[in-house]
Amino acid sequence: MSWVTDENAALFTDLYELTMLQAYYREGLDTAVATFDLFVRQMPGRNYLLACGLDTVLHYLETLHFSQEALDYLASLGRFDADFLEYLARFRFTGDVYAIPEGTPVFAGEPLLQVVAPIGQAQLIETFVLNQITFQTGIASKASRVVTAAQGRLVADFGARRMHGADAALKAVRAYYIAGIQATSLVLGGQLYGMPVTGTMAHSYVEAHPTEEDAFRAFAGLYPGTTLLVDTYDTLEGVRKVIALCKEAGDQFQIGAIRLDSGDLATLAREARRMLDEAGLAHIKIFASGSLDEYRIAELLAQGAPIDGFGVGTRMGTISDRPYLDSAYKLSEFEGEGRMKLSLKKANLPGRKQVFRFYDENGYAAYDVIACHDEQLEGGEPLLRCVMRGGQRTEAGQDTLAAARERARQGLARLPERLLMLEEAVPPYPVRISERLQALGEAVRQRLMHQET
Amino acid sequence: MSWVTDENAALFTDLYELTMLQAYYREGLDTAVATFDLFVRQMPGRNYLLACGLDTVLHYLETLHFSQEALDYLASLGRFDADFLEYLARFRFTGDVYAIPEGTPVFAGEPLLQVVAPIGQAQLIETFVLNQITFQTGIASKASRVVTAAQGRLVADFGARRMHGADAALKAVRAYYIAGIQATSLVLGGQLYGMPVTGTMAHSYVEAHPTEEDAFRAFAGLYPGTTLLVDTYDTLEGVRKVIALCKEAGDQFQIGAIRLDSGDLATLAREARRMLDEAGLAHIKIFASGSLDEYRIAELLAQGAPIDGFGVGTRMGTISDRPYLDSAYKLSEFEGEGRMKLSLKKANLPGRKQVFRFYDENGYAAYDVIACHDEQLEGGEPLLRCVMRGGQRTEAGQDTLAAARERARQGLARLPERLLMLEEAVPPYPVRISERLQALGEAVRQRLMHQET
């Protein structure tokens, strides 16, 4: 059996990170200080991204080590020398990390994370750091759109069953929490992240009883105020049975909501609402699920569907319209000198950086400027903070999930409204490059082109 | 920090599985035997799926238990009684599992897995079982297309960095192995599944050296026969440097391949091939990476690009064109009686089943028949096997990865050729329902409609 844990996470790395590390070690370069930037190259048809995943990365960096089992496996590959394996046995992450805090709206080109560390260390961590930040940022950004589309109605995560593996489902819960989702059905997510857990009933429960009424009666008896799933056989027939049971059993049959999970949700919700209201059951809410995402929710609400809450699963959980971000982790400085790739369309900006956010007179974010790390841009809010120094979290690195959620809430409230629409904003949010950083980029490009020709 | 492990996997479940379990327990129904089918409702624009994920599921079932920590958390929710928590403390999976072995090509509607167990047990495991089978089957199916498109050329997995979390990247390695991918860059995948590990070098390694030549010389010196990445600054310039170093250093500079990672791969590959061949370096291979998937590989090979191997990452790793399967886990029998949902478009077939595959006179798969479990269909190969009995793996449940890989190879070789194309096959592979199963479905539907009206 195989899980990724703190014990084996050091091997959650691409082989070339280790072969390069051994090369640096042999060449005596492994302790030379490098800066790597983690950024998203292009916005994936989103108006903003929500930074997410930092806490997972910091924990990984704090606990990173090679177990004896890991070293034995590496030895078995025949590519690593004994003294390098001894070096790995002592390996710890001792670098500094600068990051934009979780929950902050961010944009293409902005370093979400900047790692300043001996190059061997900064290189080794690439695979894991990209994996977690890419996924968590991607899914937090998706969830934020779903929350916005629901216009304040309850949104619950129902996604675990069709997501990409167990870690995705679990880490999504923390991303969802930050993005403003109210509850999850994944119990482990509740335990580990303090997210409220929620759930209704499955069709199988109804089917395992002689009749739908028997199932409703038994479940509501045990869980007063519960939500009953009414579409196992015939949705409106199910609603009628709920109404009959409410009339017949009175206080013995208290339910909070019904759930619709198939069919034309808008029409069924309207009809169910009418039936419940006419029966004097206006307090029973309508909860909908089944192939929902931000587009479908917006459509349902535009149709005036009287739905009070949404269970959102697979499409949000697999980020199905944009299943990945074009993220990159690139060397930007080595031994104090700016570095960059020149490859067509994949060039990056050299040097250590800071991102400044500027607000207009009404307090809305107006534009960002990516600058050199030691620039002071008056009136701009610096977004990158030192979250780890010498391998230890700073105070800024001890952010809570609640703080990140509140930061997301406030950050979104300060975005211009066109960015909160589901369609692509015109114009997109402006991200500028400071003059000094542009000049540095030009100088490094010139230097590299001369030296390489 | 938070990982899913054997210790907490019992809480990797939707809350409603536990509330339903408590309800069954209270109603004295928890030990009544139920059958659940796991199947894919609709083919997701694929001509076949490769069954995958069973071994992970069997391990989970063998080790499933509630730790004290899990029980304490559940108690804190205030929804579960003390005697039910004691019941959970003793909870183990004691049921039977029938499954189509990993690596078998499968189709919509066919039960990949059939769980026969006390309903409380069969219900609780739904979330985890669906999560692993849906993802592993989805990604094995994607990878199988990539392998086919590469027409025998090397395909290596480079995907970990942008996949959905750590478990996805790890479990993908076993799915890739079954699907015929030759190697992975993920070291942990190599350790845990015995998959050959591979890798080249990153742009950062080139950039960390004074010149590209210095980087090439250092890396090839340490790793004779390695692959050099030539596109950091200018691809064809990089190729020229490799050629010059080969001429200058001779035996001191042995490399096996160059890697192209950006630009117009077909044109660059042709030009690089010409340059290498003219320099007498026909033995140096060309390896390509960057936004590859089965469509792009097919296109490159159709253009005659002289590429010897492909590093395939993000698009395969996130199954980007079809990020999820429409999988379901549905009650089909309860206390010996067929059960089904009647919901529009989501109805399922009742009863325990067997799937028979029929071959034509040339040995190619001609059609499948989904039948009742005790039917004998002459000439058909039964696909479902008993892999677990009373919570213990049977011999058929102890399949090796190598056996699954070989099964996939043979299974694909026996599929009609139209199914191996990337476009949707016309006609699709025929899956029929036996007359007896159809009659059972009709009878159960009639019974349910009468009893519910």
Side-chain angles (χ1 to χ4, degrees), chain B residues 134-161:
Chain B
T134 303
F135 173 65
Q136 292 192 40
T137 297
I139 199 154
S141 307
K142 174 76 171 174
S144 176
R145 290 162 61 86
V146 173
V147 169
T148 301
Q151 299 176 35
R153 288 167 187 78
L154 172 75
V155 178
D157 158 36
F158 280 8
R161 59 187 57 199

Side-chain angles (χ1 to χ4, degrees), chain A residues 2 14-15 19 27 123 131 160 164 166-167 185 193 204-205 207 209-210 223 231 241 323 327 339 343 451-452, chain B residues 2 14-15 19 27 123 131 160 164 166-167 185 193 204-205 207 209-210 223 231 241 323 339 343 451-452:
Chain A
S2 28
D14 290 302
L15 181 68
T19 50
E27 298 168 59
Q123 183 71 61
N131 173 275
H164 291 192
D167 188 41
S185 64
Y193 301 121
S204 55
Y205 183 81
E207 294 166 57
H209 288 78
Y223 304 110
D231 77 330
K241 288 175 196 162
S327 55
R339 301 288 160 132
S343 326
Q451 134 191 328
E452 290 300 325
Chain B
S2 28
D14 290 302
L15 181 67
T19 50
E27 298 169 58
Q123 184 70 63
N131 173 274
H164 291 191
D167 188 42
S185 63
Y193 301 120
S204 55
Y205 183 81
E207 295 166 57
H209 287 78
Y223 303 111
D231 76 330
K241 287 174 196 164
R339 300 288 159 131
S343 326
Q451 130 193 332
E452 291 301 323

Side-chain angles (χ1 to χ4, degrees), chain A residues 117-193:
Chain A
I119 191 165
Q121 296 179 21
Q123 183 71 61
L124 178 81
I125 66 175
E126 174 180 30
T127 312
F128 183 87
V129 169
L130 268 174
N131 173 275
Q132 292 291 323
I133 299 274
T134 303
F135 173 65
Q136 291 193 40
T137 297
I139 199 154
S141 307
K142 175 74 170 176
S144 176
R145 291 162 61 86
V146 173
V147 170
T148 301
Q151 301 176 34
R153 288 167 188 78
L154 172 76
V155 177
D157 157 37
F158 280 8
R161 61 187 57 197
R162 291 200 203 90
M163 290 178 68
H164 291 192
D167 188 41
L170 189 57
K171 298 292 163 55
V173 174
R174 67 183 303 284
Y176 289 159
Y177 189 85
I178 292 174
I181 302 269
Q182 289 94 331
T184 180
S185 64
L186 186 65
V187 181
L188 192 58
Q191 188 199 4
L192 298 180
Y193 301 121

